[in-house]
Amino acid sequence: MGMLEQLELLVKSGFYSKEEIFERWTEDYDSSADEEQLRTEINRLYDSHVEASKQWAHPTDFERLTEVFDILASAGIVALHRAGTTISDGLGDVRECYEELVERGKLPAGYCFYHEQDMERAIESQVLPLAFGTFRENPEHAAKVADVIVSFLESFGLQVHWNGDIDSRMELRKFEWKKTYSEHDDYGLERAVEIMAESHYDLAFNAPRPAVREGGNADTNIPAYTQRTFSEIKHLLPADCWAYSRNEKNNGEFENETVLVYDGDLTVDHLHLDDPLGMGMDNEFEQQWVFLILITGNLTVHHYIYNENTDGSTGFIVLGHVQASNMIVGGQEIYIGGHLEVKELFWGDYNHGLLHVCGDAAAPLFIETDEYHVTIKGERRFKKIWVDAEEPDGRAVQALLEEGCCDPEQYDESETPLSREGMFERLRAGLPFSRQNGRKSLRGFLRMKN
């Protein structure tokens, strides 16, 4: 590409002043260029572009795209203009935005951007590629983010081509790049970050917050969380909870740990304590460790509370009551100021975990293994089908549970035959644990043990 063609691309991009174009050319392209000739050509191309812009119809495609990007940012998707020169540069800019937003208590749902080479392609061929993605390895979530991006682009009259593959980029076709430079331009990373930081889009589990209705009430079951340090919220904690007492005894051991605070009641589909921010455990983006979740009201979990890492996972303290369909936990403190009601199964495993319930606790199936700690101050309305000290027959326990809940190779009666991985698969599939045709034998077994 010759000098004039390259200069024309820089001018038509609309992102550079005359002086910036001159400096970029001499620094990045040709430091030996005749300065007077270079400035003459820049002025000519620049003035011709400004004159042509007076005939443009508005809004231009770029103005439409800018409005879409701002809306996406307010909806929790990092949307960046001219994010570096390559895909790798763009992902680096996305990471920078992500880290800044997490520090400010916001969790993006995904990202969308084009880079400088994409912009040049749009200027030359009216095709603008758009990269997109999410911050965790979840194809279904990535597809939802893509659908949101496509729907907004199309709603603003932009022609989107995408094959539906989350690993393929989108393209805006017949995209006429029409933009002029303004010294008041603000299309950098800061624009997206500030829009997202000031929006009402707060993500605890990567679920979109719907638009605010008239009257200011958001149509959502996911309240906004506030990210705090332990030192900022410790005065809210019960004095007899482990986290508070341990911190006091050890000279502020947890003072700088991250805590997510939910003011009021919280209702969610599920709660994965290994990944409370929904980032994905194998994601290339750095995981943020969350020490504790504090809920000042009641907690309702429609499906499950779960964690795999029983050696150390996010704990939670609920000052009210807790209802959940299933709980498979261990490796943290779970403190409940009110009652606990589990509809099917509670399993607490390993001595690094503890359950403290100030009120009553109810569950059809209650399991505690490997010296898991349980303190219930109120009434216990459940049957303990597995407790370390009782050492029930492992085969009998296997007979009570559906296929996949137990390790078929584990027949040592002194060890737990339960399969955490198998149970989690059933949790995610919404399948029950107890055998429907084994209820009578279950009741008989419980009578035998009690």
Side-chain angles (χ1 to χ4, degrees):
M1 184 181 296
M3 182 182 82
L4 289 179
E5 289 83 359
Q6 187 62 54
L7 286 175
E8 189 171 17
L9 280 176
L10 293 173
V11 170
K12 287 186 175 181
S13 74
F15 279 108
Y16 306 102
S17 67
K18 293 179 180 180
E19 190 60 32
E20 287 171 334
I21 294 173
F22 176 83
E23 292 177 357
R24 177 161 182 176
W25 184 267
T26 56
E27 292 176 3
D28 298 343
Y29 296 103
D30 186 2
S31 60
S32 64
D34 181 272
E35 291 190 7
E36 183 176 352
Q37 179 185 2
L38 179 59
R39 289 189 183 277
T40 297
E41 289 299 335
I42 291 173
N43 288 335
R44 182 182 67 82
L45 292 170
Y46 197 94
D47 293 342
S48 175
H49 184 61
V50 171
E51 188 64 28
S53 71
K54 296 177 182 178
Q55 306 301 318
W56 294 347
H58 296 276
T60 65
D61 287 345
F62 178 81
E63 289 167 344
R64 291 189 179 96
L65 180 62
T66 297
E67 191 164 358
V68 171
F69 272 24
D70 287 352
I71 291 173
L72 291 175
S74 67
I77 297 173
V78 177
L80 302 180
H81 296 272
R82 198 169 53 99
T85 305
T86 64
I87 287 286
S88 179
D89 292 341
L91 291 174
D93 287 351
V94 167
R95 180 190 296 274
E96 184 177 339
C97 290
Y98 169 86
E99 292 174 349
E100 172 67 19
L101 287 162
V102 168
E103 287 182 5
R104 297 171 69 165
K106 299 283 182 173
L107 180 64
Y111 61 84
C112 177
F113 68 86
Y114 62 89
H115 52 69
E116 190 163 312
Q117 292 181 14
D118 296 329
M119 176 183 68
E120 292 179 356
R121 181 181 174 189
I123 295 171
E124 294 178 319
S125 64
Q126 296 188 357
V127 175
L128 178 65
L130 296 177
F132 70 93
T134 63
F135 300 96
R136 57 175 176 164
E137 294 297 327
N138 186 321
E140 292 182 0
H141 180 65
K144 290 179 181 179
V145 169
D147 288 341
V148 170
I149 295 170
V150 169
S151 64
F152 275 114
L153 291 168
E154 290 180 339
S155 69
F156 277 77
L158 297 172
Q159 183 175 316
V160 185
H161 176 79
W162 179 50
N163 63 8
D165 183 355
I166 61 173
D167 294 321
S168 298
R169 293 206 289 171
M170 303 172 186
E171 290 182 349
L172 299 183
R173 296 185 175 178
K174 296 184 179 179
F175 187 94
E176 296 185 356
W177 189 276
K178 293 181 177 179
K179 183 183 183 308
T180 57
Y181 173 77
S182 169
E183 62 181 7
H184 303 297
D185 274 356
D186 179 21
Y187 298 106
L189 308 186
E190 296 81 4
R191 181 187 185 111
V193 169
E194 290 306 316
I195 291 174
M196 295 184 73
E198 295 175 4
S199 75
H200 294 288
Y201 190 86
D202 295 286
L203 293 175
F205 303 94
N206 261 358
R209 173 181 287 274
V212 176
R213 291 177 171 178
E214 291 184 8
N217 295 319
D219 181 20
T220 179
N221 288 324
I222 302 180
Y225 73 88
T226 305
Q227 183 171 306
R228 295 286 184 262
T229 62
F230 187 88
S231 63
E232 293 174 318
I233 61 90
K234 63 182 180 181
H235 64 285
L236 300 174
L237 302 180
D240 61 341
C241 76
W242 173 84
Y244 180 86
S245 59
R246 172 69 179 252
N247 187 69
E248 294 299 300
K249 291 177 181 178
N250 289 275
N251 300 315
E253 177 181 0
F254 304 136
E255 293 288 290
N256 295 319
E257 295 287 357
T258 298
V259 180
L260 304 183
V261 181
Y262 292 85
D263 188 15
D265 297 340
L266 175 65
T267 300
V268 294
D269 178 77
H270 65 273
L271 179 55
H272 197 316
L273 296 172
D274 291 330
D275 188 23
L277 289 173
M279 301 177 194
M281 300 307 297
D282 299 323
N283 195 284
E284 63 176 303
F285 292 89
E286 182 179 356
Q287 286 290 307
Q288 181 191 14
W289 165 247
V290 176
F291 172 63
L292 182 68
I293 296 171
L294 172 63
I295 301 165
T296 64
N298 302 316
L299 171 64
T300 302
V301 182
H302 292 309
H303 290 109
Y304 60 83
I305 301 173
Y306 175 83
N307 65 275
E308 180 68 29
N309 181 15
T310 58
D311 201 37
S313 190
T314 299
F316 67 87
I317 294 177
V318 180
L319 301 186
H321 308 303
V322 173
Q323 288 186 330
S325 292
N326 292 282
M327 292 179 65
I328 298 179
V329 293
Q332 73 283 93
E333 176 186 25
I334 297 175
Y335 185 104
I336 301 170
H339 305 307
L340 169 65
E341 180 183 354
V342 179
K343 295 181 179 179
E344 185 177 7
L345 168 70
F346 177 95
W347 178 21
D349 184 44
Y350 197 40
N351 60 12
H352 286 189
L354 64 93
L355 170 69
H356 186 121
V357 181
C358 296
D360 301 337
L365 307 179
F366 190 93
I367 305 172
E368 52 181 281
T369 53
D370 205 1
E371 300 179 357
Y372 185 77
H373 304 282
V374 176
T375 300
I376 299 171
K377 294 184 176 181
E379 182 181 349
R380 301 184 177 212
R381 297 196 298 271
F382 49 75
K383 302 294 184 179
K384 299 178 181 178
I385 70 165
W386 185 284
V387 179
D388 285 331
E390 297 181 1
E391 296 184 357
D393 186 339
R395 292 181 181 273
V397 173
Q398 289 178 333
L400 302 176
L401 300 173
E402 288 284 1
E403 183 178 355
C405 293
C406 296
D407 185 347
E409 298 181 0
Q410 179 58 266
Y411 294 109
D412 186 346
E413 295 181 7
S414 65
E415 297 184 19
T416 306
L418 303 178
S419 168
R420 203 174 191 88
E421 181 179 355
M423 285 192 170
F424 186 43
E425 290 301 314
R426 296 190 70 84
L427 284 177
R428 291 191 295 183
L431 299 174
F433 292 113
S434 60
R435 295 184 183 273
Q436 296 299 314
N437 59 4
R439 289 179 176 174
K440 291 183 179 179
S441 61
L442 171 63
R443 288 194 291 269
F445 175 74
L446 294 173
R447 283 196 296 270
M448 177 185 70
K449 293 308 302 177
N450 293 323

